[in-house]
Amino acid sequence: MSEAVQARWPGVAHTPRTPLKARVAKMILKPAAQQVPVRLTFPNGTVWGAGGPHAPEMAIKRPQAFFARIGQDTKIGFGEAYMAGDWTTGPGTDLAHLLTPFADRLANLVPKPLQKLRGLVDDRLPHHERNSIEGSRSNIERHYDLSNDLFAEFLDPSMTYSSAWFGSETESLQAAQERKMDGILDQAGVGEGTRMLEIGSGWGALAVRAAQRGAHVTTITISQEQAALARERFAAAGPEVESRIDLHLVDYREIKGTYDAIVSVEMIEAVGEEYWPVYFNTIDQHLAPGGKVSIQAITMADHRYRATRNSYGWIQKYIFPGGLLPSPEAIDRTLARHTTLAVTDRRPLGRHYARTLRLWRDRFDENWTRVNAQGFDETFRRMWEFYLAYCEAGFDTGYLDVVQLQMQRPAEAG
């Protein structure tokens, strides 16, 4: 690898030298593969897996490096091996289709006795990735400040970076994103004259849609790149819309004022478990009497959340530093213990997210030449493809879900 690649991707450029761990990984992976309807093919002609000749193919190009990475750290090494090119998809195999059977069996691939040793091998979240006010800004910069132009190459024209809500098989991504935004605004009761707070501005689409309803919008973000483009988009929406929106570069813990409606789309995933009480209590404290909250949250089953809450994986290392997905039960417990709020409506959209991610990945692949021209290298390409396909598989199997949650004070609901 070039010096530039080694400097930018040290975890990918250097193969672990751990022969014993590599042998152990090989011993565990072979019987695990026999449970999955895929084919793992090796350069010497060996084939593992329970799949037939037409099953998705995982082509192991560099077996020694592949098993070394898996043995060093299974949760991170599998993705790093794809980034490094140690394995890839076979001819005619889509990456998400290959990952889906694994995601569908994720809880049972490792033998139960070995699962009990998770605490001995799982890495904890690095201290510098904790979501303090300073840590959150650093974590957000590492993802959302990559480049507005990068995100524009695969998102729809509204620049909405969250699950859409499709009304039909033929509906466009933009129309489905507009339906999703309307669903959030309807849950929060946003209309003419509503004082609305948005936690996490994104690139401004939801704020614009709320202002078009006649709401007075305060939207906050800690992403400099997103804020700059959002302000341009507010101006482009016209003076009437722009006059109804105030954008502030502040953390949610620095909010001021009282609001009739509070909305936040796929932001809780970046809050961090230790700060959930502060996050929800802040919403509670700034919600006016009779007000409503609508949050779109990516979730996982409670038993999976409990099993993984203290571990550090590939997604956290390369995509969302400091991230943690809650379970619906974890949200309910936090609300009950730290707020006067309760969930009063739930709208699950998990399969819609699988389709959203597939459309993003298709656009990313189609526009790779332009992304590459922005300075993103082939390792980044494989990282981003793996991220989008990995998430698509999770939502397609139901391992992950995304839900629009309405919250109110029970005594005021109605």
Short mmCIF file of all heavy atoms in Angstrom, two decimals, residues 276-341:
data_model
loop_
_atom_site.label_atom_id
_atom_site.label_comp_id
_atom_site.label_asym_id
_atom_site.label_seq_id
_atom_site.Cartn_x
_atom_site.Cartn_y
_atom_site.Cartn_z
N TRP A 276 -28.24 9.71 27.74
CA TRP A 276 -29.66 9.62 27.44
C TRP A 276 -30.52 10.34 28.48
O TRP A 276 -31.46 11.06 28.11
CB TRP A 276 -30.11 8.16 27.33
CG TRP A 276 -29.61 7.45 26.11
CD1 TRP A 276 -29.06 8.01 24.99
CD2 TRP A 276 -29.60 6.04 25.90
NE1 TRP A 276 -28.71 7.03 24.09
CE2 TRP A 276 -29.03 5.81 24.62
CE3 TRP A 276 -30.00 4.95 26.66
CZ2 TRP A 276 -28.87 4.52 24.10
CZ3 TRP A 276 -29.84 3.66 26.14
CH2 TRP A 276 -29.29 3.46 24.88
N PRO A 277 -30.23 10.17 29.79
CA PRO A 277 -31.06 10.90 30.77
C PRO A 277 -31.01 12.41 30.57
O PRO A 277 -32.05 13.09 30.68
CB PRO A 277 -30.45 10.49 32.11
CG PRO A 277 -29.84 9.14 31.85
CD PRO A 277 -29.29 9.24 30.46
N VAL A 278 -29.83 12.94 30.26
CA VAL A 278 -29.69 14.38 30.04
C VAL A 278 -30.45 14.80 28.77
O VAL A 278 -31.15 15.82 28.76
CB VAL A 278 -28.21 14.79 29.93
CG1 VAL A 278 -28.07 16.28 29.63
CG2 VAL A 278 -27.46 14.43 31.20
N TYR A 279 -30.32 14.01 27.72
CA TYR A 279 -30.97 14.30 26.45
C TYR A 279 -32.49 14.38 26.62
O TYR A 279 -33.13 15.37 26.24
CB TYR A 279 -30.58 13.21 25.43
CG TYR A 279 -31.30 13.27 24.11
CD1 TYR A 279 -30.96 14.23 23.15
CD2 TYR A 279 -32.29 12.35 23.79
CE1 TYR A 279 -31.62 14.26 21.91
CE2 TYR A 279 -32.94 12.37 22.56
CZ TYR A 279 -32.60 13.34 21.63
OH TYR A 279 -33.24 13.36 20.42
N PHE A 280 -33.08 13.34 27.20
CA PHE A 280 -34.53 13.32 27.34
C PHE A 280 -35.02 14.32 28.39
O PHE A 280 -36.09 14.92 28.23
CB PHE A 280 -35.02 11.91 27.66
CG PHE A 280 -35.02 11.00 26.47
CD1 PHE A 280 -34.18 9.88 26.42
CD2 PHE A 280 -35.84 11.25 25.39
CE1 PHE A 280 -34.18 9.04 25.31
CE2 PHE A 280 -35.84 10.41 24.27
CZ PHE A 280 -35.00 9.31 24.24
N ASN A 281 -34.25 14.51 29.45
CA ASN A 281 -34.64 15.50 30.44
C ASN A 281 -34.60 16.91 29.86
O ASN A 281 -35.46 17.74 30.17
CB ASN A 281 -33.75 15.42 31.67
CG ASN A 281 -34.19 16.37 32.77
OD1 ASN A 281 -33.60 17.43 32.97
ND2 ASN A 281 -35.25 16.00 33.48
N THR A 282 -33.63 17.17 28.99
CA THR A 282 -33.55 18.46 28.31
C THR A 282 -34.79 18.70 27.47
O THR A 282 -35.38 19.79 27.48
CB THR A 282 -32.28 18.53 27.44
OG1 THR A 282 -31.12 18.41 28.27
CG2 THR A 282 -32.22 19.85 26.67
N ILE A 283 -35.21 17.68 26.72
CA ILE A 283 -36.43 17.80 25.92
C ILE A 283 -37.62 18.08 26.83
O ILE A 283 -38.45 18.97 26.55
CB ILE A 283 -36.65 16.51 25.11
CG1 ILE A 283 -35.59 16.40 23.99
CG2 ILE A 283 -38.06 16.47 24.51
CD1 ILE A 283 -35.62 15.09 23.24
N ASP A 284 -37.72 17.35 27.92
CA ASP A 284 -38.82 17.52 28.86
C ASP A 284 -38.86 18.94 29.42
O ASP A 284 -39.93 19.57 29.48
CB ASP A 284 -38.66 16.50 29.99
CG ASP A 284 -39.89 16.39 30.88
OD1 ASP A 284 -40.97 16.85 30.47
OD2 ASP A 284 -39.76 15.83 31.98
N GLN A 285 -37.70 19.45 29.80
CA GLN A 285 -37.63 20.77 30.42
C GLN A 285 -38.00 21.90 29.46
O GLN A 285 -38.48 22.96 29.89
CB GLN A 285 -36.23 21.01 30.98
CG GLN A 285 -35.84 20.10 32.13
CD GLN A 285 -36.77 20.24 33.31
OE1 GLN A 285 -37.07 21.35 33.75
NE2 GLN A 285 -37.26 19.13 33.83
N HIS A 286 -37.78 21.69 28.16
CA HIS A 286 -38.02 22.76 27.19
C HIS A 286 -39.32 22.58 26.41
O HIS A 286 -39.60 23.36 25.50
CB HIS A 286 -36.82 22.87 26.23
CG HIS A 286 -35.57 23.35 26.91
ND1 HIS A 286 -35.31 24.69 27.12
CD2 HIS A 286 -34.54 22.67 27.46
CE1 HIS A 286 -34.16 24.81 27.74
NE2 HIS A 286 -33.67 23.60 27.97
N LEU A 287 -40.10 21.57 26.75
CA LEU A 287 -41.37 21.34 26.08
C LEU A 287 -42.47 22.09 26.83
O LEU A 287 -42.65 21.93 28.04
CB LEU A 287 -41.69 19.84 26.05
CG LEU A 287 -42.96 19.44 25.29
CD1 LEU A 287 -42.79 19.70 23.79
CD2 LEU A 287 -43.27 17.95 25.54
N ALA A 288 -43.21 22.90 26.11
CA ALA A 288 -44.29 23.68 26.72
C ALA A 288 -45.42 22.76 27.18
O ALA A 288 -45.58 21.65 26.66
CB ALA A 288 -44.82 24.70 25.72
N PRO A 289 -46.22 23.20 28.14
CA PRO A 289 -47.38 22.41 28.54
C PRO A 289 -48.27 22.08 27.33
O PRO A 289 -48.53 22.93 26.49
CB PRO A 289 -48.12 23.35 29.51
CG PRO A 289 -47.03 24.21 30.08
CD PRO A 289 -46.08 24.44 28.94
N GLY A 290 -48.68 20.81 27.25
CA GLY A 290 -49.49 20.36 26.13
C GLY A 290 -48.71 20.08 24.86
O GLY A 290 -49.29 19.72 23.84
N GLY A 291 -47.38 20.25 24.92
CA GLY A 291 -46.56 20.05 23.73
C GLY A 291 -46.34 18.58 23.39
O GLY A 291 -46.60 17.68 24.20
N LYS A 292 -45.86 18.35 22.17
CA LYS A 292 -45.60 16.99 21.69
C LYS A 292 -44.18 16.88 21.15
O LYS A 292 -43.61 17.85 20.63
CB LYS A 292 -46.58 16.60 20.58
CG LYS A 292 -48.04 16.54 21.03
CD LYS A 292 -48.94 16.19 19.87
CE LYS A 292 -50.40 16.17 20.29
NZ LYS A 292 -51.29 15.83 19.13
N VAL A 293 -43.64 15.69 21.25
CA VAL A 293 -42.29 15.37 20.76
C VAL A 293 -42.41 14.28 19.72
O VAL A 293 -43.22 13.36 19.85
CB VAL A 293 -41.39 14.88 21.92
CG1 VAL A 293 -39.99 14.54 21.42
CG2 VAL A 293 -41.33 15.92 23.05
N SER A 294 -41.59 14.34 18.68
CA SER A 294 -41.48 13.24 17.73
C SER A 294 -40.02 12.98 17.43
O SER A 294 -39.29 13.89 17.01
CB SER A 294 -42.24 13.53 16.43
OG SER A 294 -42.13 12.43 15.54
N ILE A 295 -39.60 11.77 17.70
CA ILE A 295 -38.21 11.38 17.49
C ILE A 295 -38.17 10.16 16.58
O ILE A 295 -38.90 9.19 16.80
CB ILE A 295 -37.53 11.04 18.84
CG1 ILE A 295 -37.33 12.31 19.66
CG2 ILE A 295 -36.19 10.34 18.62
CD1 ILE A 295 -36.77 12.05 21.04
N GLN A 296 -37.34 10.22 15.56
CA GLN A 296 -37.10 9.04 14.73
C GLN A 296 -35.82 8.40 15.22
O GLN A 296 -34.76 9.04 15.21
CB GLN A 296 -37.00 9.42 13.25
CG GLN A 296 -36.85 8.19 12.33
CD GLN A 296 -37.20 8.51 10.89
OE1 GLN A 296 -38.28 9.00 10.60
NE2 GLN A 296 -36.29 8.21 9.98
N ALA A 297 -35.91 7.15 15.66
CA ALA A 297 -34.78 6.48 16.30
C ALA A 297 -34.52 5.12 15.69
O ALA A 297 -35.45 4.34 15.46
CB ALA A 297 -35.05 6.32 17.80
N ILE A 298 -33.24 4.83 15.43
CA ILE A 298 -32.84 3.49 15.04
C ILE A 298 -32.72 2.66 16.32
O ILE A 298 -32.10 3.10 17.29
CB ILE A 298 -31.49 3.51 14.29
CG1 ILE A 298 -31.60 4.37 13.03
CG2 ILE A 298 -31.07 2.08 13.92
CD1 ILE A 298 -30.26 4.59 12.34
N THR A 299 -33.32 1.49 16.31
CA THR A 299 -33.34 0.67 17.52
C THR A 299 -32.93 -0.77 17.22
O THR A 299 -32.89 -1.20 16.07
CB THR A 299 -34.73 0.66 18.16
OG1 THR A 299 -35.66 0.04 17.25
CG2 THR A 299 -35.21 2.07 18.49
N MET A 300 -32.66 -1.50 18.29
CA MET A 300 -32.45 -2.94 18.20
C MET A 300 -33.19 -3.59 19.37
O MET A 300 -33.60 -2.91 20.32
CB MET A 300 -30.97 -3.30 18.24
CG MET A 300 -30.25 -2.88 19.51
SD MET A 300 -28.58 -3.61 19.64
CE MET A 300 -27.81 -3.08 18.13
N ALA A 301 -33.38 -4.90 19.29
CA ALA A 301 -34.07 -5.62 20.34
C ALA A 301 -33.34 -5.44 21.67
O ALA A 301 -32.11 -5.30 21.71
CB ALA A 301 -34.16 -7.10 20.00
N ASP A 302 -34.09 -5.47 22.76
CA ASP A 302 -33.50 -5.17 24.07
C ASP A 302 -32.41 -6.16 24.45
O ASP A 302 -31.38 -5.76 25.02
CB ASP A 302 -34.60 -5.15 25.13
CG ASP A 302 -34.17 -4.42 26.39
OD1 ASP A 302 -33.72 -3.27 26.29
OD2 ASP A 302 -34.28 -5.01 27.49
N HIS A 303 -32.58 -7.44 24.14
CA HIS A 303 -31.54 -8.41 24.51
C HIS A 303 -30.26 -8.17 23.72
O HIS A 303 -29.16 -8.39 24.23
CB HIS A 303 -32.04 -9.84 24.34
CG HIS A 303 -32.20 -10.28 22.91
ND1 HIS A 303 -33.31 -9.94 22.14
CD2 HIS A 303 -31.39 -11.01 22.10
CE1 HIS A 303 -33.19 -10.46 20.94
NE2 HIS A 303 -32.03 -11.10 20.88
N ARG A 304 -30.38 -7.69 22.46
CA ARG A 304 -29.18 -7.39 21.67
C ARG A 304 -28.52 -6.11 22.18
O ARG A 304 -27.29 -6.00 22.24
CB ARG A 304 -29.55 -7.22 20.19
CG ARG A 304 -30.07 -8.47 19.53
CD ARG A 304 -29.10 -9.63 19.64
NE ARG A 304 -27.76 -9.28 19.15
CZ ARG A 304 -26.65 -9.95 19.48
NH1 ARG A 304 -26.71 -10.96 20.32
NH2 ARG A 304 -25.49 -9.58 18.99
N TYR A 305 -29.34 -5.13 22.55
CA TYR A 305 -28.79 -3.90 23.13
C TYR A 305 -28.00 -4.21 24.40
O TYR A 305 -26.89 -3.72 24.60
CB TYR A 305 -29.93 -2.92 23.41
CG TYR A 305 -29.68 -1.99 24.58
CD1 TYR A 305 -28.76 -0.94 24.49
CD2 TYR A 305 -30.35 -2.19 25.79
CE1 TYR A 305 -28.53 -0.11 25.57
CE2 TYR A 305 -30.13 -1.36 26.86
CZ TYR A 305 -29.22 -0.31 26.75
OH TYR A 305 -28.98 0.50 27.81
N ARG A 306 -28.57 -5.04 25.26
CA ARG A 306 -27.88 -5.37 26.51
C ARG A 306 -26.58 -6.12 26.26
O ARG A 306 -25.58 -5.93 26.96
CB ARG A 306 -28.80 -6.21 27.41
CG ARG A 306 -30.00 -5.43 27.96
CD ARG A 306 -30.89 -6.35 28.80
NE ARG A 306 -32.06 -5.69 29.33
CZ ARG A 306 -32.09 -4.98 30.46
NH1 ARG A 306 -30.97 -4.86 31.19
NH2 ARG A 306 -33.21 -4.43 30.88
N ALA A 307 -26.56 -6.95 25.24
CA ALA A 307 -25.37 -7.74 24.94
C ALA A 307 -24.25 -6.92 24.31
O ALA A 307 -23.07 -7.25 24.44
CB ALA A 307 -25.73 -8.91 24.01
N THR A 308 -24.61 -5.84 23.61
CA THR A 308 -23.60 -5.09 22.84
C THR A 308 -23.33 -3.68 23.38
O THR A 308 -22.47 -2.99 22.85
CB THR A 308 -24.04 -4.97 21.37
OG1 THR A 308 -25.30 -4.29 21.30
CG2 THR A 308 -24.19 -6.35 20.74
N ARG A 309 -24.04 -3.27 24.41
CA ARG A 309 -23.98 -1.87 24.85
C ARG A 309 -22.59 -1.44 25.30
O ARG A 309 -22.26 -0.25 25.23
CB ARG A 309 -24.98 -1.63 25.98
CG ARG A 309 -24.82 -2.53 27.17
CD ARG A 309 -26.01 -2.42 28.13
NE ARG A 309 -25.96 -1.21 28.91
CZ ARG A 309 -25.41 -1.14 30.12
NH1 ARG A 309 -24.87 -2.22 30.68
NH2 ARG A 309 -25.41 0.00 30.77
N ASN A 310 -21.77 -2.37 25.73
CA ASN A 310 -20.44 -2.00 26.22
C ASN A 310 -19.32 -2.40 25.25
O ASN A 310 -18.15 -2.40 25.63
CB ASN A 310 -20.18 -2.64 27.59
CG ASN A 310 -21.05 -2.04 28.67
OD1 ASN A 310 -21.23 -0.83 28.73
ND2 ASN A 310 -21.59 -2.88 29.54
N SER A 311 -19.69 -2.74 24.03
CA SER A 311 -18.67 -3.18 23.07
C SER A 311 -18.42 -2.10 22.01
O SER A 311 -19.22 -1.20 21.80
CB SER A 311 -19.09 -4.49 22.41
OG SER A 311 -20.29 -4.33 21.69
N TYR A 312 -17.28 -2.24 21.36
CA TYR A 312 -16.81 -1.27 20.38
C TYR A 312 -16.62 -2.00 19.06
O TYR A 312 -15.84 -2.95 18.96
CB TYR A 312 -15.49 -0.68 20.86
CG TYR A 312 -14.89 0.41 19.99
CD1 TYR A 312 -15.53 1.62 19.80
CD2 TYR A 312 -13.65 0.23 19.38
CE1 TYR A 312 -14.96 2.62 19.03
CE2 TYR A 312 -13.07 1.24 18.61
CZ TYR A 312 -13.73 2.42 18.44
OH TYR A 312 -13.16 3.42 17.68
N GLY A 313 -17.37 -1.58 18.04
CA GLY A 313 -17.36 -2.31 16.79
C GLY A 313 -16.88 -1.50 15.60
O GLY A 313 -16.46 -0.35 15.72
N TRP A 314 -16.97 -2.12 14.42
CA TRP A 314 -16.49 -1.51 13.19
C TRP A 314 -17.23 -0.21 12.88
O TRP A 314 -16.61 0.77 12.48
CB TRP A 314 -16.67 -2.51 12.04
CG TRP A 314 -16.15 -2.03 10.73
CD1 TRP A 314 -14.88 -2.14 10.25
CD2 TRP A 314 -16.90 -1.32 9.73
NE1 TRP A 314 -14.79 -1.56 9.00
CE2 TRP A 314 -16.01 -1.04 8.65
CE3 TRP A 314 -18.22 -0.90 9.63
CZ2 TRP A 314 -16.42 -0.37 7.50
CZ3 TRP A 314 -18.63 -0.22 8.48
CH2 TRP A 314 -17.73 0.04 7.44
N ILE A 315 -18.56 -0.21 13.05
CA ILE A 315 -19.36 0.99 12.77
C ILE A 315 -18.88 2.16 13.63
O ILE A 315 -18.77 3.29 13.15
CB ILE A 315 -20.86 0.72 13.01
CG1 ILE A 315 -21.45 -0.09 11.85
CG2 ILE A 315 -21.63 2.01 13.20
CD1 ILE A 315 -21.73 0.73 10.59
N GLN A 316 -18.60 1.90 14.89
CA GLN A 316 -18.15 2.97 15.78
C GLN A 316 -16.74 3.45 15.41
O GLN A 316 -16.45 4.64 15.47
CB GLN A 316 -18.18 2.50 17.23
CG GLN A 316 -19.60 2.31 17.75
CD GLN A 316 -19.64 1.38 18.93
OE1 GLN A 316 -19.07 0.30 18.92
NE2 GLN A 316 -20.34 1.80 19.98
N LYS A 317 -15.89 2.54 15.02
CA LYS A 317 -14.51 2.92 14.69
C LYS A 317 -14.44 3.72 13.39
O LYS A 317 -13.69 4.71 13.31
CB LYS A 317 -13.63 1.67 14.56
CG LYS A 317 -12.17 1.99 14.22
CD LYS A 317 -11.29 0.74 14.24
CE LYS A 317 -9.84 1.10 13.91
NZ LYS A 317 -8.96 -0.11 13.95
N TYR A 318 -15.24 3.33 12.39
CA TYR A 318 -15.07 3.93 11.07
C TYR A 318 -16.20 4.85 10.61
O TYR A 318 -15.99 5.70 9.74
CB TYR A 318 -14.90 2.82 10.02
CG TYR A 318 -13.54 2.18 10.08
CD1 TYR A 318 -13.35 0.97 10.74
CD2 TYR A 318 -12.42 2.80 9.53
CE1 TYR A 318 -12.09 0.38 10.82
CE2 TYR A 318 -11.17 2.23 9.60
CZ TYR A 318 -11.00 1.03 10.25
OH TYR A 318 -9.75 0.47 10.33
N ILE A 319 -17.40 4.71 11.18
CA ILE A 319 -18.53 5.46 10.65
C ILE A 319 -19.12 6.42 11.67
O ILE A 319 -19.19 7.63 11.43
CB ILE A 319 -19.64 4.51 10.14
CG1 ILE A 319 -19.06 3.48 9.15
CG2 ILE A 319 -20.76 5.31 9.50
CD1 ILE A 319 -18.47 4.09 7.88
N PHE A 320 -19.57 5.91 12.80
CA PHE A 320 -20.24 6.75 13.80
C PHE A 320 -19.53 6.63 15.15
O PHE A 320 -19.98 5.88 16.03
CB PHE A 320 -21.71 6.35 13.95
CG PHE A 320 -22.55 6.60 12.73
CD1 PHE A 320 -23.07 5.54 12.00
CD2 PHE A 320 -22.80 7.89 12.29
CE1 PHE A 320 -23.85 5.77 10.87
CE2 PHE A 320 -23.56 8.13 11.16
CZ PHE A 320 -24.09 7.07 10.44
N PRO A 321 -18.43 7.35 15.34
CA PRO A 321 -17.74 7.29 16.63
C PRO A 321 -18.66 7.74 17.76
O PRO A 321 -19.39 8.71 17.61
CB PRO A 321 -16.55 8.24 16.45
CG PRO A 321 -16.92 9.12 15.29
CD PRO A 321 -17.77 8.28 14.40
N GLY A 322 -18.63 7.01 18.86
CA GLY A 322 -19.47 7.37 19.99
C GLY A 322 -20.90 6.91 19.87
O GLY A 322 -21.72 7.18 20.75
N GLY A 323 -21.25 6.20 18.80
CA GLY A 323 -22.63 5.82 18.57
C GLY A 323 -23.07 4.60 19.36
O GLY A 323 -22.27 3.72 19.67
N LEU A 324 -24.35 4.56 19.70
CA LEU A 324 -24.95 3.39 20.35
C LEU A 324 -26.44 3.40 20.05
O LEU A 324 -27.12 4.42 20.23
CB LEU A 324 -24.74 3.42 21.86
CG LEU A 324 -25.42 2.26 22.62
CD1 LEU A 324 -24.78 0.93 22.26
CD2 LEU A 324 -25.37 2.48 24.13
N LEU A 325 -26.96 2.26 19.58
CA LEU A 325 -28.38 2.15 19.29
C LEU A 325 -29.13 1.72 20.54
O LEU A 325 -28.77 0.74 21.18
CB LEU A 325 -28.62 1.12 18.18
CG LEU A 325 -27.90 1.35 16.86
CD1 LEU A 325 -28.33 0.28 15.85
CD2 LEU A 325 -28.18 2.74 16.31
N PRO A 326 -30.21 2.43 20.88
CA PRO A 326 -31.03 2.02 22.02
C PRO A 326 -32.02 0.94 21.61
O PRO A 326 -32.25 0.68 20.43
CB PRO A 326 -31.76 3.31 22.39
CG PRO A 326 -31.95 3.99 21.06
CD PRO A 326 -30.70 3.68 20.26
N SER A 327 -32.62 0.32 22.58
CA SER A 327 -33.80 -0.52 22.35
C SER A 327 -35.03 0.31 22.70
O SER A 327 -34.93 1.30 23.44
CB SER A 327 -33.75 -1.76 23.24
OG SER A 327 -33.87 -1.38 24.61
N PRO A 328 -36.21 -0.05 22.17
CA PRO A 328 -37.41 0.67 22.58
C PRO A 328 -37.61 0.64 24.10
O PRO A 328 -38.04 1.64 24.70
CB PRO A 328 -38.53 -0.10 21.86
CG PRO A 328 -37.87 -0.69 20.66
CD PRO A 328 -36.49 -1.05 21.12
N GLU A 329 -37.26 -0.50 24.70
CA GLU A 329 -37.41 -0.62 26.16
C GLU A 329 -36.45 0.30 26.89
O GLU A 329 -36.80 0.88 27.94
CB GLU A 329 -37.17 -2.07 26.59
CG GLU A 329 -38.22 -3.04 26.11
CD GLU A 329 -37.98 -3.57 24.70
OE1 GLU A 329 -37.06 -3.07 24.01
OE2 GLU A 329 -38.70 -4.49 24.28
N ALA A 330 -35.23 0.47 26.36
CA ALA A 330 -34.26 1.36 27.00
C ALA A 330 -34.76 2.81 26.96
O ALA A 330 -34.56 3.57 27.92
CB ALA A 330 -32.90 1.25 26.31
N ILE A 331 -35.39 3.18 25.86
CA ILE A 331 -35.97 4.53 25.77
C ILE A 331 -37.09 4.69 26.79
O ILE A 331 -37.15 5.68 27.52
CB ILE A 331 -36.48 4.80 24.35
CG1 ILE A 331 -35.30 4.88 23.37
CG2 ILE A 331 -37.30 6.09 24.30
CD1 ILE A 331 -35.71 5.01 21.92
N ASP A 332 -37.97 3.69 26.87
CA ASP A 332 -39.08 3.75 27.82
C ASP A 332 -38.56 3.85 29.26
O ASP A 332 -39.09 4.63 30.07
CB ASP A 332 -39.97 2.52 27.68
CG ASP A 332 -40.78 2.51 26.39
OD1 ASP A 332 -40.94 3.59 25.78
OD2 ASP A 332 -41.23 1.43 25.98
N ARG A 333 -37.52 3.07 29.57
CA ARG A 333 -36.97 3.10 30.93
C ARG A 333 -36.38 4.46 31.26
O ARG A 333 -36.56 4.99 32.36
CB ARG A 333 -35.91 2.01 31.10
CG ARG A 333 -36.45 0.59 31.13
CD ARG A 333 -35.39 -0.41 31.55
NE ARG A 333 -34.31 -0.55 30.58
CZ ARG A 333 -34.28 -1.49 29.63
NH1 ARG A 333 -35.29 -2.35 29.51
NH2 ARG A 333 -33.26 -1.57 28.80
N THR A 334 -35.67 5.04 30.29
CA THR A 334 -35.05 6.35 30.52
C THR A 334 -36.11 7.43 30.71
O THR A 334 -35.99 8.28 31.60
CB THR A 334 -34.12 6.71 29.34
OG1 THR A 334 -33.17 5.67 29.14
CG2 THR A 334 -33.37 8.01 29.63
N LEU A 335 -37.14 7.40 29.90
CA LEU A 335 -38.22 8.37 30.04
C LEU A 335 -38.88 8.25 31.42
O LEU A 335 -39.14 9.26 32.09
CB LEU A 335 -39.27 8.17 28.95
CG LEU A 335 -38.87 8.51 27.52
CD1 LEU A 335 -39.99 8.11 26.55
CD2 LEU A 335 -38.53 9.98 27.36
N ALA A 336 -39.15 7.03 31.84
CA ALA A 336 -39.84 6.82 33.12
C ALA A 336 -39.01 7.29 34.31
O ALA A 336 -39.55 7.83 35.28
CB ALA A 336 -40.20 5.34 33.28
N ARG A 337 -37.69 7.10 34.22
CA ARG A 337 -36.83 7.43 35.35
C ARG A 337 -36.41 8.90 35.40
O ARG A 337 -36.10 9.43 36.47
CB ARG A 337 -35.57 6.56 35.30
CG ARG A 337 -35.84 5.08 35.54
CD ARG A 337 -34.60 4.25 35.22
NE ARG A 337 -34.89 2.81 35.31
CZ ARG A 337 -34.06 1.85 34.88
NH1 ARG A 337 -32.91 2.18 34.30
NH2 ARG A 337 -34.40 0.58 35.01
N HIS A 338 -36.38 9.56 34.24
CA HIS A 338 -35.76 10.88 34.21
C HIS A 338 -36.64 11.99 33.63
O HIS A 338 -36.19 13.13 33.54
CB HIS A 338 -34.46 10.81 33.39
CG HIS A 338 -33.46 9.84 33.96
ND1 HIS A 338 -32.67 10.16 35.04
CD2 HIS A 338 -33.14 8.57 33.60
CE1 HIS A 338 -31.89 9.12 35.32
NE2 HIS A 338 -32.16 8.15 34.47
N THR A 339 -37.87 11.67 33.24
CA THR A 339 -38.72 12.70 32.64
C THR A 339 -40.18 12.50 33.07
O THR A 339 -40.54 11.51 33.71
CB THR A 339 -38.68 12.65 31.09
OG1 THR A 339 -39.48 11.56 30.63
CG2 THR A 339 -37.26 12.50 30.57
N THR A 340 -41.01 13.44 32.65
CA THR A 340 -42.47 13.28 32.81
C THR A 340 -43.11 12.82 31.51
O THR A 340 -44.33 12.83 31.39
CB THR A 340 -43.10 14.62 33.25
OG1 THR A 340 -42.90 15.60 32.21
CG2 THR A 340 -42.48 15.14 34.54
N LEU A 341 -42.29 12.42 30.54
CA LEU A 341 -42.77 12.03 29.22
C LEU A 341 -42.98 10.52 29.12
O LEU A 341 -42.37 9.75 29.85
CB LEU A 341 -41.77 12.47 28.14
CG LEU A 341 -41.46 13.96 28.04
CD1 LEU A 341 -40.29 14.18 27.09
CD2 LEU A 341 -42.70 14.72 27.56
#
